[in-house]
Amino acid sequence: GFCSESRENLFSFKKEETLSTYDPTPSSSSYSPPLSSSVPAIPNPFPELCSPSKSPVLISSLPPPSSDKHLIKVYGEDSHSRSVWVSPEATAREVCQMLVQTAHCSDQENWALLEVHPALGLERCLEDHEVVLEVQSSWSLKGDTKLVFCKNYAKYEFFRKPMLFFPESMISDSADVNKGLTSSELIQNLLKSGTCPEIQGFLHVKEPSRKAWKKVYFFLRRSGLYCSTKGSSKEPRHLQYVADVKDLNVYTVVNSRKLYGAPADFTFCIKPSRNPVRTQDLKILCAENEQTRTCWTSSFRLFKHGKQLQCNYQLSKLAPRSLERPTNSTDGKASLVAMDFSGKAGGRVIQNPTEAQSAEREEGQAWRRREALRCSLPNLSSGTRPSSIHKTQQWFHGGVSRKDAQRLIEKQGLVDGMFLIRDSQQHAQCFVLSLCYKLKTKHYLVIPCEEGGRKYYTMDDGLTLFVDLLQLVEFHQINKGILPVCLKHPCVCVAL
């Protein structure tokens, strides 16, 4: 509990007192330091807190040898923070790599720095190549802006599933310059070249200094953002220039209904990237659904950063793979094949889809019989079975509400297979599996039931039984069951 100066004074006082004990007849005319051989070494009472030079200053508070380092503070999702020394040119990717090492994260993938403005409800994931200190230089000194270290699985998802992020209905007619190409081929070609098709559609716009909203038709092009002054007309005389895309940052807006009176929850905003975040500089827009919002925000990023995002995506694929479970670089599902090991000649790949589904059902039933037999053994009674093991798992989030669960999944990336399990707020002793699929969060009720005097959990009215939630999750990580997609990414709360 001592500050550096007071602890140093304390140590100096103790040393002087000890010296006077060992040197009872010091010279009064002049002071000469005692010989080191006549004075026993004084043990350091706080060796784990002090630097090798026995200074009482904490190592973490010491600047590195290089004088051009800067100290930044990064928060975890549990509101605790960690301070790290970074160089003036440190990028968001480099800071994330430092935090992964210092926080001893179990895997090194899909980490991101989130720029958060709590009072305004704004959040933005920093691009991997952005210089962190340059981003912070645009913050207001009196604001509550902070950096949050979190997971983001959807940062480059539009490269993997472009048709989900760029629906044909939003692609401008003027983008169809390559005759003979399908919409999917056109989008993929554009993404590879570091751009995207021109986007058009209606958005709700918040009017300045008011909570009123107006529906306006917008066009997003390489040259900038435009709006039509007459319906959805794209004639030049009806187009009004709004902003230069290269000079904009795009943010998602949290709790937009309460803060800004938005007509829907799918709100985002744009602002000049070099200006401090001020309410008067924000252009707040609201889409009709999540797919529309994601399309607009992804397009803003692509038009602004261009080929750099493609480079960032390629670098992210070269990062060390997860230590938890191996994944395929294209699609985790593609790495799973149906196998038959019943023959004497060894295993074979099942090519027939119908046969594969039948084998999956048979394996599931056999697995269920094995687990039921294991749990019926005398030495594993219901009283000793670890039925509360789910409370120690990173995907279990206790009593969070349905809305908060959706927010957690949205924050870490709306990618297929993102999931968490929580307590049901409407049904006692039940749980809810919240799962992301096609940019939407679906909720499945997990019900306790009894069979043979033992307690199980089920999601399909007792057809498949699980002795605990951990078993349920592990089963659905390799089998879809009644779910639209296998469980892939646990939604975790990142702590520093």
Side-chain angles (χ1 to χ4, degrees):
F2 297 105
C3 66
S4 301
E5 182 179 354
S6 60
R7 286 176 53 186
E8 186 173 6
N9 293 338
L10 174 64
F11 292 160
S12 301
F13 172 76
K14 290 294 185 182
K15 186 179 292 186
E16 290 169 4
E17 182 181 75
T18 308
L19 291 176
S20 64
T21 304
Y22 281 94
D23 190 8
T25 58
S27 172
S28 58
S29 59
S30 63
Y31 172 77
S32 59
L35 297 175
S36 58
S37 59
S38 63
V39 182
I42 300 176
N44 186 351
F46 303 104
E48 73 280 2
L49 297 180
C50 298
S51 64
S53 61
K54 299 185 180 181
S55 165
V57 181
L58 297 183
I59 294 178
S60 60
S61 64
L62 285 172
S66 148
S67 60
D68 63 342
K69 297 287 185 178
H70 297 263
L71 190 66
I72 65 170
K73 181 180 288 188
V74 182
Y75 288 82
E77 293 178 304
D78 58 351
S79 298
H80 288 82
S81 64
R82 182 183 290 267
S83 296
V84 292
W85 291 95
V86 300
S87 66
E89 300 82 19
T91 63
R93 177 193 287 110
E94 292 168 346
V95 174
C96 284
Q97 290 173 348
M98 292 173 60
L99 290 169
V100 164
Q101 295 173 2
T102 56
H104 305 291
C105 298
S106 58
D107 70 281
Q108 302 183 35
E109 295 181 85
N110 303 302
W111 294 102
L113 285 182
L114 203 66
E115 177 187 347
V116 181
H117 303 263
L120 297 174
L122 307 183
E123 294 183 355
R124 179 178 77 93
C125 178
L126 268 60
E127 303 295 350
D128 285 345
H129 67 276
E130 286 191 84
V131 178
V132 176
L133 291 180
E134 289 184 4
V135 173
Q136 287 189 325
S137 66
S138 66
W139 295 357
S140 172
L141 296 178
K142 298 181 180 179
D144 55 354
T145 312
K146 60 183 179 181
L147 291 173
V148 177
F149 181 57
C150 64
K151 283 284 192 180
N152 189 339
Y153 294 95
K155 202 188 308 186
Y156 304 115
E157 192 69 7
F158 50 75
F159 286 118
R160 304 183 185 98
K161 300 179 180 179
M163 293 308 298
L164 181 62
F165 285 78
F166 302 100
E168 290 188 42
S169 59
M170 294 185 62
I171 298 176
S172 173
D173 297 335
S174 60
D176 190 16
V177 294
N178 297 308
K179 299 299 182 181
L181 290 179
T182 64
S183 179
S184 175
E185 291 172 339
L186 173 64
I187 293 173
Q188 289 176 354
N189 289 344
L190 289 170
L191 289 177
K192 289 178 182 178
S193 65
T195 184
C196 74
E198 295 181 1
I199 302 299
Q200 63 183 16
F202 278 105
L203 289 171
H204 297 274
V205 185
K206 182 180 178 298
E207 297 187 6
S209 305
R210 297 176 57 192
K211 282 199 173 182
W213 291 74
K214 183 179 180 181
K215 197 171 184 179
V216 180
Y217 205 80
F218 283 90
F219 299 88
L220 183 60
R221 300 174 176 175
R222 190 190 302 269
S223 58
L225 178 66
Y226 301 84
C227 66
S228 178
T229 58
K230 187 177 182 180
S232 59
S233 172
K234 59 178 67 176
E235 294 185 21
R237 60 194 180 95
H238 295 148
L239 292 184
Q240 181 178 349
Y241 181 77
V242 178
D244 181 6
V245 179
K246 297 292 184 182
D247 186 47
L248 294 177
N249 280 338
V250 58
Y251 296 80
T252 57
V253 183
V254 183
N255 202 16
S256 58
R257 290 181 183 265
K258 180 179 180 180
L259 291 175
Y260 303 103
D265 292 323
F266 314 108
T267 311
F268 64 100
C269 88
I270 53 177
K271 84 161 195 70
S273 55
R274 299 188 181 276
N275 296 353
V277 178
R278 299 176 300 182
T279 307
Q280 59 267 30
D281 294 333
L282 303 179
K283 193 165 193 66
I284 304 176
L285 308 165
C286 182
E288 298 287 345
N289 51 59
E290 184 59 52
Q291 187 182 41
T292 302
R293 175 172 72 168
T294 305
C295 179
W296 282 102
T297 55
S298 301
S299 300
F300 273 108
R301 292 174 58 202
L302 280 163
F303 275 125
K304 177 178 180 178
H305 300 289
K307 191 68 176 177
Q308 183 65 56
L309 284 190
Q310 178 68 241
C311 296
N312 292 349
Y313 172 53
Q314 297 300 331
L315 286 173
S316 70
K317 294 195 296 184
L318 298 176
R321 307 307 297 173
S322 171
L323 301 177
E324 294 176 350
R325 42 187 310 227
T327 58
N328 188 283
S329 60
T330 55
D331 189 353
K333 187 178 177 181
S335 63
L336 302 176
V337 294
M339 298 289 295
D340 175 20
F341 294 98
S342 59
K344 296 182 179 180
R348 68 179 180 90
V349 177
I350 302 177
Q351 302 287 353
N352 189 334
T354 304
E355 185 184 359
Q357 292 178 358
S358 176
E360 179 183 351
R361 286 193 298 269
E362 291 179 5
E363 177 62 23
Q365 292 171 359
W367 174 86
R368 175 189 168 192
R369 287 193 295 269
R370 289 195 301 270
E371 292 302 319
L373 177 62
R374 181 180 69 83
C375 294
S376 64
L377 295 176
N379 62 347
L380 190 62
S381 63
S382 59
T384 60
R385 191 167 63 242
S387 59
S388 298
I389 193 173
H390 56 271
K391 295 182 178 179
T392 65
Q393 302 302 309
Q394 58 183 358
W395 40 256
F396 184 70
H397 288 255
V400 301
S401 65
R402 180 188 183 102
K403 186 175 181 179
D404 290 339
Q406 293 181 183
R407 172 68 190 130
L408 285 169
I409 291 177
E410 174 188 318
K411 189 174 182 179
Q412 296 194 17
L414 290 172
V415 297
D416 291 351
M418 171 76 71
F419 75 97
L420 61 83
I421 293 182
R422 55 191 173 87
D423 293 317
S424 174
Q425 295 185 325
Q426 296 182 350
H427 306 279
Q429 299 183 351
C430 293
F431 300 92
V432 177
L433 170 66
S434 299
L435 172 68
C436 180
Y437 180 64
K438 290 186 176 181
L439 300 179
K440 295 182 179 179
T441 303
K442 301 176 179 291
H443 306 274
Y444 300 87
L445 190 63
V446 181
I447 304 173
C449 62
E450 286 192 8
E451 184 174 295
R454 297 191 175 277
K455 184 178 179 180
Y456 297 94
Y457 294 100
T458 183
M459 291 195 301
D460 53 11
D461 296 328
L463 183 62
T464 310
L465 301 178
F466 305 94
V467 296
D468 52 42
L469 296 182
L470 179 60
Q471 209 175 69
L472 181 146
V473 168
E474 290 179 341
F475 176 85
H476 286 95
Q477 284 178 326
I478 57 174
N479 302 278
K480 291 194 302 184
I482 66 167
L483 304 177
V485 65
C486 290
L487 304 182
K488 188 175 182 181
H489 304 296
C491 185
V492 302
C493 182
V494 180
L496 285 175

